[in-house]
């Protein structure tokens, strides 16, 4: 684990991308091949099977550290990272170990099926021979989620440096349904890439946000379409099977059984990029995102839900046609092939083109964009007609031109400290609007302020706490914040009767006094207009 | 018959009825006994001040024209019905715990303290008492400090690595106490040490008091990085990333604070390196100090007060939270 711990420290201790990449590339050149593959797996979100529940880990760590469980939990809520909390509270190790990353992973896999006493003994034994950083990493292998400031993009760049292979090729190799058990360094990285798995998706092309379309030049060079408010997905039909991948590289095939019929009507060797939406057959438009939300995370779908929230894929792009990767073709050409492919489908197929929107001038397009909400879209997408389908978030070819969010001015009434990166700062706030003389809470928000604004509001909260409820502080209703959000819907679970989508603090309205905040009636009017 | 407690907690701060004085008051009072010169403990506006002779010069420097009487460590003073003495708290040079005895009952207000010997401050002196007023800035079991020597190695290794990479190490630390402790830990053989004006001012004062610190070069508007190859720059945290710091580019930034023990805070500070150096007691230190006082009653004034108090009570030590205006922001620790 020492090599891997040194890599972690090198990455963790630097804010410079170049030195992170250099440290990773060096590791990919020198570490044992097995460890390299596991490192790629961990940094791309693949993790070993969970050997121990986090509940047990907390109990064992508290016991080993001689602490009551509540004190461990309180410490955890400040640190914000379970693996780190455990690493910090444990007494110093009694010995050292030179064993590598792969050893510790198989150590964990070996105990996954053992009885609890054995698992406990083995975990305690491991803690006792690892230093604080090694423990943190060992714990992360058990708790999952290796978010340590290395994106998949950075890792791919480092692999490219270490192997001399082009980045897009590596990005594609690393996609899909592999595990360190099913592959090795040679197969994954070095071998000729012919026997690729049928389920393997292409890396998603992601857009940057656009402020002003005038900066894009001639309107004629661009194609526009709605930016739907659903789940971005890639549909693969190869070798008689179909696969649905999320943008986060999660395989979602079984969650959307209504798409299975596409196997019978879509030609083999087809890959489509699109947006999953819950469809409203009556209006011929997507339902609000809230309807789709009921389908997310459900592995088996009850009949009633299939009927009420039937899902279909609105197709944006064609990536593979007749088994050929066509991502390098110009978008206009890909889109023409997409239209031709979809035209052959029956009318009731759960796959439709996301139509291109004709426009002549940017002014025309701005007027169309203003109608996005009525069309159940978040805004517009603009794509260069002659551009290829790139991988990852790249500037220049694709732009998202979203609607301005809805906003409400709310009064801050509760504050709670954050954790992890935000430990010691009050960052989690509850906001209220006026209902006559009363303040009714309507949303929480955590993001949108700068670190220095959080520091300033933290000092204010410390001086203006009226009452404490455990970690929550009730504060003097004084500060007004502009809350921006993407959608609003009715919610009997909320005191105000509404729930907001993606609420965040757009601005700290220091120019406004609490009495100038919005009212519940204002909020209900927004619900009427946009709910 | 019930007597007044030796110390009480008022709107102005910690108060001794028998001696009619306050300890580290946060609102103006007639007579203030000051544990040390940090801004949350030594505030302007009091009628008369009493502090240790070692803390006095810095307090004068910060508060200007004040009526300040001084006393050496360990010397008892009679104030009204109370006998008062100052004892080393080990927090920063000159910092004191204040021992107050009234009719045989002893209370100690510890201000801020740490148990480890930093090589500059007089080391913390355990005092037996009936009641002990403690901080709990780092009163969670995730805070355990490493020996100073191993952190010194980390600092000096970083400095050397910066020299190899052609970067200027820019180290942020609170100007009173922490900065001098770092000076003491740095190896002047590696290269010259440049100081920001705020750091230089307190360093100069402490030097005249006899503290042995390596030579420093004050940064002036004309200072150029090129004239001091291989130098390390010591500055208050607020100077990191400021215009002032631009002249040293390219830099590697470091921040020395107990908070650097937590990865989340280290990442938020967005420096390149975090060094876990604290002038407050860690979890082990707080518990040991409290045990060694033998006190029957513990008052917890600032930090993780709720958690730490509950822990003490579960250990069979009677403890309660006292809200105070102590405890500063992250930059000062």
């Amino acid at each position: 684990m020492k090599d891997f711990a040194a890599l972690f420290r090198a990455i963790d201790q630097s804010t410079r991308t170049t030195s992170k990449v250099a440290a990773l590339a060096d590791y990919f050149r020198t570490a044992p091949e097995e460890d390299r593959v596991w490192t790629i797996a961990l940094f791309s979100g693949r993790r070993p099977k969970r050997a121990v529940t986090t509940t047990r880990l907390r109990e064992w760590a508290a016991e080993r550290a001689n602490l009551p469980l509540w004190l461990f939990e309180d410490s955890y809520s400040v640190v914000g990272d379970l693996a780190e909390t455990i690493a910090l509270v444990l007494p110093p190790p009694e010995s050292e170990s030179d064993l590598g990353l792969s050893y510790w992973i198989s150590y964990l896999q070996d105990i996954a099926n053992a009885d609890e006493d054995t698992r406990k003994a083995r975990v305690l034994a491991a803690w006792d021979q690892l230093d604080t950083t090694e423990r943190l990493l060992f714990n992360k292998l058990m708790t999952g989620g290796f978010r340590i400031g290395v994106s998949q993009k950075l890792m791919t760049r480092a692999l490219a440096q270490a192997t001399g292979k082009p980045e897009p090729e590596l990005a594609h190799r690393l996609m899909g349904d592999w595990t360190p058990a099913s592959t090795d360094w040679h197969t994954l990285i070095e071998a000729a890439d012919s026997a690729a798995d049928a389920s393997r998706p292409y890396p998603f092309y992601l857009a940057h946000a656009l402020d002003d379309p005038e900066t894009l030049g001639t309107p004629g060079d661009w194609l526009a379409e709605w930016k739907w408010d659903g789940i971005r997905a890639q549909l693969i039909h190869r070798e008689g099977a179909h696969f649905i991948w999320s943008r986060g590289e999660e395989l979602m095939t079984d969650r959307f059984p209504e798409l299975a019929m596409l196997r019978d009507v879509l030609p083999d060797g087809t890959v489509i990029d699109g947006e999953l939406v819950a469809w409203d057959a009556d209006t011929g438009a997507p339902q609000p995102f809230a309807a789709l939300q009921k389908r997310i995370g459900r592995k088996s779908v009850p009949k009633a839900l299939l009927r009420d929230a039937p899902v279909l894929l609105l197709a944006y792009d064609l990536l593979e046609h007749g088994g050929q990767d066509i991502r390098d073709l110009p978008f206009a050409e890909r889109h023409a092939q997409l239209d031709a492919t979809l035209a052959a489908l029956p009318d009731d197929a759960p796959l439709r083109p996301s139509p291109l929107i004709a426009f002549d001038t940017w002014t025309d397009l701005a007027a169309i964009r203003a109608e996005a909400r009525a069309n159940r879209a978040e805004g517009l997408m603009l794509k260069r007609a002659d551009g290829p389908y790139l991988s990852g978030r790249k500037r220049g070819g694709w732009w998202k031109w979203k609607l301005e969010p809805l906003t409400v001015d709310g009064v801050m009434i509760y504050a709670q400290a954050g954790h992890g990166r935000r430990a010691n700062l009050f960052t989690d706030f509850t906001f209220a609007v006026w209902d006559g003389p009363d303040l009714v809470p309507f949303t929480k928000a955590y993001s949108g302020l700068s670190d220095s604004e959080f520091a300033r509001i933290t000092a204010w909260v410390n001086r203006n706490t009226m009452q404490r409820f455990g970690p929550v502080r009730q504060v003097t209703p004084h500060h007004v914040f502009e809350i921006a959000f993407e959608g609003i819907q009715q919610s009997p679970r909320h005191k105000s009767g509404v729930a907001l989508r993606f609420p965040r603090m757009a601005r700290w309205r220091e120019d406004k006094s609490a009495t100038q905040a919005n009212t519940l009636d204002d909020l209900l009017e927004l619900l009427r207009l946009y709910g | 018959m019930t007597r007044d407690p030796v110390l009480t907690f008022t709107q102005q701060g910690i108060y001794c009825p028998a001696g009619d004085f306050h300890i580290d008051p946060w609102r103006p009072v007639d007579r203030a006994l000051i544990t040390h010169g940090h801004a949350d403990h030594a505030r302007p506006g009091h009628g008369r001040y009493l502090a240790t002779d070692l803390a006095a010069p810095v307090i004068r420097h910060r508060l200007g024209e004040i009526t300040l009487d001084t006393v050496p460590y360990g010397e008892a003073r009679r104030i009204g019905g109370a006998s008062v003495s100052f004892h080393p708290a080990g927090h920063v040079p000159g910092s004191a715990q204040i021992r107050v005895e009234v009719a045989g009952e002893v209370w100690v207000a510890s201000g801020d303290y740490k148990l480890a010997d930093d090589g500059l401050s007089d080391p913390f002196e355990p005092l037996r008492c009936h009641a002990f007023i403690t901080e709990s800035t780092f009163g969670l079991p995730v805070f355990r400090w490493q020996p100073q020597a191993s952190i010194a190695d980390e600092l000096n290794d970083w400095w050397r690595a910066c020299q190899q990479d052609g970067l200027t190490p820019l180290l942020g630390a609170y100007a009173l106490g922490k900065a001098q402790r770092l000076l003491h830990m740095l190896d002047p053989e590696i290269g010259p040490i440049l100081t920001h004006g705020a750091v230089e001012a307190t360093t100069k004062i402490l030097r005249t008091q006899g503290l042995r610190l390596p030579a420093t070069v004050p940064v002036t508007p004309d200072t150029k990085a090129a004239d001091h190859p291989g130098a390390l720059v010591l500055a208050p945290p607020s100077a990191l990333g400021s215009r002032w710091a631009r002249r040293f580019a390219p830099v590697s930034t470091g921040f020395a604070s107990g908070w650097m023990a937590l990865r989340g805070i280290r990442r938020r500070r967005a420096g390149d390196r975090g060094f876990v150096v604290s002038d407050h007691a860690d979890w082990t230190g707080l518990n040991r100090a409290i045990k060694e006082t033998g006190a029957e009653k513990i008052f917890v004034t600032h930090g993780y007060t709720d958690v730490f108090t509950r822990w003490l009570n579960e250990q069979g030590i009677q403890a309660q939270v006292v809200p105070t205006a102590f405890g500063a922001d992250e930059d000062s620790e």
Side-chain angles (χ1 to χ4, degrees):
Chain A
M1 200 79 114
K2 298 221 181 298
D3 294 354
F4 191 60
L7 170 66
F8 170 78
R9 270 192 295 266
I11 292 168
D12 202 43
Q13 281 175 359
S14 182
T15 49
R16 262 178 289 270
T17 308
T18 46
S19 42
K20 288 185 190 188
V21 172
L24 267 166
D26 190 48
Y27 180 86
F28 285 132
R29 280 186 210 104
T30 55
E33 288 189 358
E34 251 187 308
D35 288 3
R36 294 182 213 171
V37 173
W38 263 113
T39 301
I40 296 169
L42 293 172
F43 290 166
S44 60
R46 294 165 178 83
R47 58 188 177 88
K49 191 177 157 216
R50 191 178 284 266
V52 183
T53 64
T54 55
T55 312
R56 291 289 165 274
L57 281 179
R58 294 159 136 124
E59 289 168 5
W60 300 345
E63 187 188 320
R64 182 76 183 83
N66 230 336
L67 298 173
L69 195 58
W70 70 262
L71 181 52
F72 179 86
E73 297 293 350
D74 280 8
S75 301
Y76 171 35
S77 81
V78 169
V79 176
D81 181 316
L82 184 61
E84 184 184 358
T85 311
I86 294 173
L88 291 172
V89 300
L90 291 172
E94 288 178 357
S95 58
E96 286 189 55
S97 151
D98 281 332
L99 298 159
L101 173 65
S102 308
Y103 169 84
W104 289 109
I105 287 169
S106 59
Y107 182 95
L108 286 172
Q109 282 168 338
D110 288 347
I111 64 171
N113 298 317
D115 61 69
E116 189 165 310
D117 288 345
T118 312
R119 276 183 290 156
K120 180 176 176 183
R122 300 281 280 170
V123 169
L124 291 179
W127 281 342
D128 231 9
Q129 48 190 305
L130 298 170
D131 70 22
T132 308
T133 309
E134 294 166 350
R135 270 178 192 164
L136 166 73
L137 296 167
F138 177 74
N139 294 340
K140 283 211 173 281
L141 295 175
M142 292 188 284
T143 58
F146 244 85
R147 292 191 359 197
I148 60 162
V150 177
S151 62
Q152 187 151 350
K153 187 170 162 185
L154 266 188
M155 180 183 69
T156 312
R157 192 182 308 166
L159 268 175
Q161 271 185 21
T163 62
K165 286 189 178 289
E167 236 177 282
E169 184 200 321
L170 286 166
H172 191 200
R173 278 171 175 269
L174 300 186
M175 298 289 287
D177 206 11
W178 61 273
T179 67
S182 70
T183 189
D184 57 35
W185 174 257
H186 179 74
T187 316
L188 186 65
I189 302 298
E190 293 173 333
D193 197 23
S194 58
D197 181 74
S199 74
R200 191 164 79 183
Y202 293 101
F204 282 79
Y205 187 5
L206 306 174
H208 275 276
L210 178 71
D211 291 326
D212 177 11
E214 297 287 346
T215 57
L216 299 184
T218 319
D221 294 343
W222 295 87
L223 297 173
E225 61 190 324
W226 292 118
K227 184 182 188 316
W228 301 106
D229 187 11
I231 305 171
R232 181 90 180 272
Q234 199 174 122
L235 169 72
I236 295 172
H237 182 213
R238 288 184 192 129
E239 299 173 21
H242 84 293
F243 308 91
I244 302 162
W245 290 93
S246 75
R247 217 189 81 183
E249 256 190 272
E250 197 183 348
L251 198 53
M252 311 184 290
T253 316
D254 297 337
R255 295 189 201 170
F256 304 104
E258 56 266 70
L259 300 190
M261 66 83 70
L262 292 172
R263 278 196 307 244
D264 303 325
V265 296
L266 201 61
D268 206 90
T270 302
V271 178
I272 287 171
D273 177 0
E275 191 94 6
L276 286 167
V277 295
W279 193 251
D280 185 338
D282 296 337
T283 60
Q287 301 183 40
F289 186 80
L292 184 63
Q293 216 157 19
K294 295 180 195 144
R295 297 285 304 265
I296 299 172
R298 282 200 95 114
K299 300 234 156 134
S300 67
V301 194
K303 278 218 173 70
L305 195 53
L306 266 181
R307 193 187 57 230
D308 296 343
V311 160
L312 66 72
L313 185 71
L314 290 171
Y316 291 132
D317 210 328
L318 185 64
L319 313 186
E320 187 174 307
H321 187 47
Q324 293 299 308
D325 176 355
I326 60 164
R327 292 177 296 160
D328 284 338
L329 293 181
F331 177 55
E333 243 173 87
R334 294 199 309 275
H335 206 276
Q337 296 196 21
L338 174 70
D339 283 343
T341 306
L342 298 189
L345 297 186
D347 287 345
D348 61 348
L351 175 61
R352 297 170 179 231
S354 169
L356 292 178
I357 297 168
F359 68 102
D360 292 322
T361 67
W362 295 125
T363 318
D364 291 353
L365 195 61
I368 295 168
R369 168 175 170 263
E371 298 298 311
R373 229 170 235 124
N375 284 280
R376 298 275 180 214
E378 297 180 299
L380 292 169
M381 287 294 302
L382 285 164
K383 300 175 178 175
R384 271 202 84 89
D386 61 0
Y389 188 96
L390 302 174
S391 56
R393 201 175 295 282
K394 298 275 157 48
R395 199 165 273 282
W398 278 23
W399 296 96
K400 52 182 175 189
W401 192 26
K402 287 172 69 163
L403 278 181
E404 298 300 327
L406 300 168
T407 62
V408 158
D409 289 338
V411 185
M412 185 172 102
I413 54 170
Y414 299 109
Q416 191 170 355
H419 55 239
R421 199 176 166 276
R422 309 164 120 203
N424 284 352
L425 292 178
F426 285 101
T427 57
D428 301 3
F429 307 123
T430 302
F431 297 95
V433 284
W434 293 104
D435 181 15
D438 301 323
L439 281 166
V440 184
F442 71 100
T443 192
K444 288 185 173 195
Y446 318 93
S447 61
L449 297 189
S450 65
D451 281 348
S452 68
E453 283 174 317
F454 276 131
R456 210 146 57 80
I457 198 78
T458 294
W460 183 86
V461 168
N462 280 325
R463 290 194 311 270
N464 293 278
T465 298
M466 293 161 59
Q467 225 182 325
R468 295 176 184 221
F469 307 96
V472 177
R473 308 278 194 97
Q474 184 183 10
V475 298
T476 320
H478 175 78
H479 285 296
V480 177
F481 288 80
E482 181 180 315
I483 306 298
F485 52 98
E486 299 302 319
I488 183 167
Q489 63 182 102
Q490 209 158 19
S491 166
R493 289 189 297 121
H494 291 78
K495 218 173 183 175
S496 60
V498 301
L500 308 185
R501 180 141 193 258
F502 294 143
R504 69 263 182 193
M505 292 168 270
R507 268 189 300 168
W508 183 352
R509 296 298 305 258
E510 293 185 87
D511 55 321
K512 286 199 169 183
S513 68
T515 51
Q516 289 172 290
N518 280 107
T519 64
L520 186 58
D521 285 342
D522 298 336
L523 207 54
L524 294 175
E525 177 63 10
L526 287 176
L527 178 66
R528 193 182 65 77
L529 288 171
Y530 303 111
Chain B
M1 183 190 113
T2 53
R3 291 187 311 206
D4 269 347
V6 173
L7 296 174
T8 61
F9 303 95
T10 70
Q11 291 289 312
Q12 284 72 37
I14 303 170
Y15 177 64
C16 175
D20 190 22
F21 61 82
H22 288 80
I23 296 174
D24 293 351
W26 47 84
R27 288 193 188 150
V29 300
D30 172 40
R31 181 184 276 219
L33 276 56
I34 304 294
T35 57
H36 65 287
H38 282 155
D40 54 327
H41 294 262
R43 295 175 191 252
H46 307 310
R48 289 173 285 171
Y49 292 77
L50 179 64
T52 66
D53 40 15
L54 287 171
V58 168
I59 294 175
R60 274 209 185 87
H61 168 71
R62 296 196 153 189
L63 300 184
E65 285 294 310
I66 53 170
T67 309
L68 173 59
D69 192 8
T70 65
V71 60
Y73 282 132
E75 185 181 298
R77 281 278 177 105
R78 193 86 205 159
I79 304 179
S83 167
V84 171
S85 53
F86 289 62
H87 303 264
H91 176 55
V92 295
S95 71
Q97 314 172 66
I98 298 180
R99 181 184 184 278
V100 183
E101 183 171 345
V102 177
E105 187 173 338
V106 178
W107 286 43
V108 171
S110 59
D112 294 330
Y113 65 93
K114 71 170 178 286
L115 275 65
D117 181 358
D118 62 19
L120 288 181
S121 317
D122 289 73
F124 179 85
E125 179 187 334
L127 297 169
R128 301 289 294 181
C129 54
H130 297 97
F132 185 62
I133 302 172
T134 184
E135 58 144 322
S136 66
T137 306
F138 292 107
L140 289 180
V142 292
F143 297 110
R144 288 173 217 247
W145 312 145
Q146 298 297 310
Q148 180 157 314
S150 75
I151 309 290
D153 288 346
E154 276 181 32
L155 272 169
N156 289 312
D157 287 349
W158 171 61
W159 188 358
R160 284 188 207 97
C162 285
Q163 287 183 342
Q164 277 184 7
D165 299 342
L167 302 171
T168 305
L170 179 56
L171 182 56
Y174 196 43
L176 167 57
K178 188 67 63 65
Q180 291 74 35
R181 185 174 174 197
L182 292 169
L183 279 174
H184 178 71
M185 291 162 73
L186 290 166
D187 178 0
E189 299 292 310
I190 301 175
I193 302 170
L194 306 188
T195 47
H196 182 277
V199 170
E200 185 60 24
T202 32
T203 303
K204 202 169 143 194
I205 293 168
L206 291 172
R207 264 205 197 101
T208 39
Q209 290 176 224
L211 244 56
R212 292 174 49 142
L213 294 167
T216 51
V217 183
V219 174
T220 66
D222 304 324
T223 303
K224 289 192 187 65
D227 299 338
H228 306 276
L232 176 144
V233 183
L234 191 56
S238 57
L240 270 60
S242 70
R243 275 172 59 90
W244 178 88
R246 268 186 230 156
R247 72 188 84 191
F248 302 111
V251 297
S252 172
T253 53
F255 183 39
S257 156
W259 297 111
M260 294 298 102
L262 301 188
R263 212 179 135 240
I265 299 183
R266 216 157 59 222
R267 280 166 54 221
R268 165 151 55 83
R269 302 299 307 217
D272 292 307
R273 293 293 300 271
F275 299 96
V276 188
V277 186
S278 176
D279 288 324
H280 294 266
D282 65 357
W283 173 255
T284 321
L286 288 169
N287 280 285
R288 205 178 91 204
I290 286 167
K291 203 159 277 172
E292 287 180 358
T293 62
E296 296 146 13
K297 237 189 236 167
I298 306 295
F299 298 94
V300 185
T301 55
H302 58 293
Y304 292 103
T305 49
D306 298 341
V307 177
F308 192 57
T309 302
R310 179 172 170 196
W311 158 259
L312 290 176
N313 282 313
E314 285 187 9
Q315 302 304 299
I317 299 169
Q318 202 198 325
Q320 67 186 79
V321 181
V322 180
T324 64
F326 304 139
D329 58 17
E330 267 164 33
D331 277 2
S332 56
E333 165 42 47

